[in-house]
Amino acid sequence: MFQDYTAPVFRVQENSKSETAEIVALNQAAHALRLNGEGHAALLRHAETARHAGAAKTAEVSLIVSDAAGEAEIERRKIEFLAIPDPDGAILMIGRDRSHDEMIRDALTQSRGLYKDLTELASDFAWETDQHGRFTFISPKGAIGYRPNQLVGEKPESLLAHPMSVTGRLPFSPETPVRHVDIWLRNAAGEPRCVMVSALPLVNENGKRVGARGLGLDVTTERIAQTELAQSKHREDLVRYIVNLTRDEETPAAMMQTAAKTLTRATGADGCAILIKDDDGWDVAARFGRTPDDIIALSAAEALPLDGTATVGTQGELGAVTLFRGVPNGAILAWEGNPDSPRAGDHWSDDTKALLEAIEGPLGLALRQITDQQILERLARTDGLTHLLNRRAFLEEMEPALARARRHKRAGCLLYVDLDNFKPINDTFGHEEGDTVLTAIAGLLQTYSRGYDLAVRLGGDEFALWLDETDTETARRRAQELIEACRPLATFSASPEKPFGISVGIAPYSSETGGDLAELMSRADAAMYAAKRTGKNQFAVEMPPDREEN
């Protein structure tokens, strides 16, 4: 009757011949167990317990299943046996295999452990909310510095670091699944933390949303690093943009003006100034927007640290020294608001300070290149010995000078200066002595001219001086002053028979008579030779062709 049972069934009875208990398998499932000695003894002990109790007993028996020969162990199985005493003294043992239940229980335990491990690896905390959006569960370790009991019953909205910046539904109460949503919350210490949230809505059997469940991961460090990287990339792009714009300009002045303009906009300032530093001190090279006067700007530059660090000054300005090969060669200064009304400097962001520190290197190199270019231009326009304008630069400057005189109907005079008996000085004392004389003459021309006059060494021992807005009578006095000032240089004369001096030719210019530069220079040259013919060391005047000297 037990052949159709899938569970093993045994009968424990007395063997009439041996007077010992024997175990008889009553179905195929029992035969398949192939009990070894340990299993056989375990069943007998359970049967004896039921016999003494005179009632059915249940016990779990661990059996070792052997191979067909009964030698090799195949597996260990746990079977729950119900031992039922028969009236004839035998014990009927009906088994129920518990191995499958144990396997399911072990698998479930492992699955829970695995889920717990994965949850901890993938997030900092797990959470659940109810239909009202309040936390109903927080994993045991807590979240962002809070203990679970501090958050349960609270709404996530109370944790928002920037409530006014959040619109729409929070990821803690989603209507549909959400993944990797960043939200800034305040931790238990009041510090803002970025939490990445993934969540699923919870629904009841009627499909109504009754809450949500999800994971939270603190990604503040990663987001700050990403932001800093993005800001660094943005600064690099800005620096490259500013440098490229600056290089596209043709003149140093335009380069600096473009840099000041672009930096003003890049820093969000109201005004910016760029200064150049040389052996003589600081000088404002360019400015854009609202900036204070030069005195305040120069004072602010003097106070900057010399290592290129962006620093807020006493007037609230932000500045940084530019460096070339570790040596300060300029400065960047930015102002926000009215530069005449000092304000605190805490409005400058760290990113703006970092931008100034990032641009100081390229700008320092650009300033050096500009300085070198200016030096080359100055060398190309000046005489190497006397540092006066050379002939080419003088001719370039005279054209606009004459144009201004014509436009404003102003007078001017060109003085042609030629040295008397200069060659014997070179021949007798050498060119070094001659250079000393030439340098002295250049110094006198600068002394007896104004900042807007033009002094030039035309070549050899020939000089010229353009006196802007000067009439003929004034030019006469100036020529005589030069002649008198040169008299001490007679000590350089090669001999008493050939005394050193100067001959000056004066060519007045009038907007009424006009005339071009070539005509003016020709008259000055003719007047100079007239002075030499009449005895040297004096001056002569050559008026325009249609005018006679009074």
Side-chain angles (χ1 to χ4, degrees), residues 11 20 28 48 78 145 176 226 274 310-311 313 339 359 370 403 476 479-480 489 522 533:
R11 179 181 176 84
T20 59
Q28 184 62 33
E48 189 65 21
K78 292 182 178 180
T176 58
Q226 291 170 356
I274 295 178
T311 306
I359 195 65
I370 288 171
R476 286 169 175 270
Q480 188 58 46
L489 298 178
S522 177
R533 287 194 300 269

Side-chain angles (χ1 to χ4, degrees), residues 284-397:
V284 177
R287 60 173 74 241
F288 180 82
R290 300 175 64 180
T291 59
D293 58 38
D294 286 0
I295 295 177
I296 295 177
L298 296 177
S299 176
E302 286 282 1
L304 291 173
L306 301 181
D307 59 357
T309 302
T311 306
V312 178
T314 57
Q315 303 295 313
E317 76 281 359
L318 180 64
V321 164
T322 63
L323 304 172
F324 179 74
R325 294 181 178 174
V327 178
N329 68 341
I332 313 163
L333 292 170
W335 287 268
E336 192 173 66
N338 186 350
D340 297 323
S341 301
R343 57 178 292 188
D346 54 4
H347 57 285
W348 297 109
S349 68
D350 291 339
D351 192 45
T352 302
K353 295 175 182 177
L355 174 60
L356 251 63
E357 293 176 358
I359 195 65
E360 70 85 8
L363 189 59
L365 177 59
L367 287 176
R368 177 53 185 261
Q369 293 172 338
I370 288 171
T371 302
D372 290 345
Q373 182 179 343
Q374 290 173 334
I375 292 173
L376 291 174
E377 289 179 354
R378 185 165 60 250
L379 291 174
R381 290 173 52 84
T382 58
D383 176 65
L385 175 64
T386 64
H387 303 300
L388 298 179
L389 291 176
N390 59 26
R391 186 183 188 90
R392 188 188 70 176
F394 176 73
L395 295 177
E396 290 176 354
E397 294 292 336

Side-chain angles (χ1 to χ4, degrees), residues 74-86:
I74 298 177
E75 62 176 330
R76 182 177 292 272
R77 295 171 65 179
K78 292 182 178 180
I79 301 177
E80 184 180 79
F81 280 98
L82 175 64
I84 305 173
D86 270 354

Side-chain angles (χ1 to χ4, degrees), residues 87-107:
D88 61 1
I91 303 294
L92 184 65
M93 303 193 70
I94 303 174
R96 183 167 72 92
D97 196 338
R98 297 293 303 273
S99 299
H100 183 65
D101 294 345
E102 290 292 327
M103 290 174 60
I104 294 176
R105 190 160 47 245
D106 291 344

Side-chain angles (χ1 to χ4, degrees), residues 402-456:
L402 293 180
R404 286 193 301 272
R406 286 192 295 269
R407 185 167 60 253
H408 298 293
K409 301 185 183 308
R410 294 171 180 169
C413 287
L414 179 62
L415 277 59
Y416 230 77
V417 180
D418 188 79
L419 307 189
D420 299 330
N421 300 315
F422 175 72
K423 186 176 183 300
I425 296 176
N426 276 338
D427 295 342
T428 303
F429 303 113
H431 287 281
E432 185 174 349
E433 196 80 353
D435 289 348
T436 302
V437 174
L438 293 173
T439 304
I441 293 298
L444 290 174
L445 289 176
Q446 290 176 319
T447 300
Y448 286 92
S449 62
R450 299 156 297 183
Y452 49 85
D453 294 333
L454 301 175
V456 56

